[in-house]
Amino acid sequence: MFDSHAHYDDKKFDTDRHELLSVLQSNIKIEGIINAATDIKSCEQIIALSEQYSKLYSAIGVHPHETSEVKESYIGKLKAFAKNEKVVAIGEIGLDFHYDFSPRDIQRRLFEDQMILAEELKLPVIIHDREAHGECVAMTEKFPNVIGVFHSFSGSTETAKILLNKGWYISFNGIITFKNATNLRSVVPNIPDDRLLVETDCPYLAPVPHRGERNNSRHMKHTIIELAQLRGQSFEYIEKITTENAKRLFGIE
Ligand SMILES: [Zn+2]
């Protein structure tokens, strides 16, 4: 299996990060993990981790929550980070109108600036879309040459279909195992085999029966079991296609 979205730089891993990553590195069931950055310091941390663990790859970018904190020179920093050979995407970027931790105009401006950067660097993007489906879809329409994944997808089947028609991927995590996620579960069977990704978003969103605990890539098997049931496919098949899809999207051999 391939964890397409994790945050192993998060402070919740400070006590045992290297113990845990060593275990994941030697776990033959896990083929790869993409760490998604949230700010400039996070980019530095995940790139350093990817140099120590061959299975770790990096997505570099500024999360919508952090957009009001970064300095004007951040794009130059991202360009320099992108030279690292294990940087495979720009992310996570996007809009969060649920928490609104940064003013919406700043979120919008940095989202667009980072889409321009992705187009220039010919990298896929990882999008965080929380209660901003319309504007996020509009942004993808503004950049027809950029594709990527809507991580922790929370939209409708209709929104998914608009994105799928334009070549985008859809990623699910532990939320699909939560009791109240009926609407989201109804979207899962509508994603074609070649566009489905799976992720942890760890340390957050641990699937049932680990809900509420600190999440890690090993727990992703519970999300794959749920995907398999909802789609009427085998666990092994979901594992295979989501790994192939992640490698194709992120250009990993
Ligand atoms: Zn995330």
Side-chain angles (χ1 to χ4, degrees):
M1 55 192 184
F2 197 110
D3 185 352
S4 69
H5 195 105
H7 298 283
Y8 285 107
D9 60 316
D10 192 281
K11 61 180 183 305
K12 291 196 172 70
F13 293 113
D14 282 354
T15 51
D16 61 347
R17 179 173 293 108
H18 289 285
E19 269 172 75
L20 176 59
L21 289 173
S22 301
V23 169
L24 299 176
Q25 176 70 33
S26 57
N27 184 332
I28 52 161
K29 296 292 284 173
I30 297 168
E31 291 207 37
I33 299 166
I34 296 183
N35 268 319
T38 52
D39 61 13
I40 296 301
K41 185 166 164 254
S42 168
C43 290
E44 286 166 358
Q45 288 170 328
I46 64 168
I47 288 171
L49 291 174
S50 76
E51 281 166 353
Q52 291 174 72
Y53 300 95
S54 64
K55 286 181 184 174
L56 295 186
Y57 298 86
S58 303
I60 54 160
V62 179
H63 189 289
H65 287 344
E66 311 300 332
T67 47
S68 58
E69 299 296 322
V70 292
K71 297 197 182 78
E72 285 300 325
S73 56
Y74 79 100
I75 287 284
K77 290 226 165 79
L78 293 180
K79 276 187 192 169
F81 292 142
K83 295 196 170 85
N84 185 286
E85 60 178 15
K86 293 189 84 185
V87 170
V88 296
I90 300 297
E92 61 181 294
I93 62 173
L95 301 171
D96 194 311
F97 294 167
H98 177 75
Y99 288 109
D100 282 322
F101 285 157
S102 289
R104 292 186 180 184
D105 278 351
I106 298 179
Q107 293 190 40
R108 291 184 180 107
R109 181 162 57 81
L110 271 77
F111 185 15
E112 182 157 1
D113 287 350
Q114 294 180 93
M115 289 291 282
I116 293 169
L117 179 67
E119 183 165 36
E120 184 188 326
L121 298 176
K122 297 185 169 62
L123 285 172
V125 299
I126 297 176
I127 291 193
H128 173 106
D129 161 20
R130 189 97 191 259
E131 294 175 22
H133 306 319
E135 285 197 36
C136 285
V137 169
M139 189 66 86
T140 68
E141 276 158 358
K142 207 167 171 180
F143 292 88
N145 299 323
V146 176
I147 63 156
V149 56
F150 271 56
H151 111 84
S152 191
F153 185 74
S154 59
S156 62
T157 294
E158 289 64 40
T159 299
K161 282 186 176 159
I162 295 168
L163 295 167
L164 291 162
N165 282 336
K166 289 184 298 197
W168 284 70
Y169 291 68
I170 302 291
S171 182
F172 296 102
N173 54 35
I175 293 175
I176 62 161
T177 70
F178 296 175
K179 199 163 179 272
N180 58 2
T182 315
N183 288 342
L184 187 60
R185 275 192 288 275
S186 75
V187 178
V188 169
N190 299 309
I191 310 303
D193 286 358
D194 63 349
R195 300 296 181 73
L196 179 71
L197 295 184
V198 63
E199 62 175 69
T200 56
D201 206 12
C202 67
Y204 312 104
L205 300 173
V208 173
H210 298 283
R211 189 172 183 181
E213 296 171 22
R214 188 183 71 172
N215 199 3
N216 75 75
S217 303
R218 280 175 301 179
H219 292 337
M220 202 167 64
K221 67 170 187 274
H222 300 288
T223 304
I224 296 177
I225 290 168
E226 185 70 31
L227 287 172
Q229 268 171 11
L230 292 169
R231 295 169 64 84
Q233 295 166 325
S234 71
F235 181 94
E236 292 72 23
Y237 185 70
I238 300 284
E239 240 186 340
K240 175 178 168 287
I241 60 171
T242 52
T243 299
E244 286 171 359
N245 294 344
K247 288 182 173 176
R248 184 187 326 111
L249 175 60
F250 298 113
I252 293 167
E253 289 304 306

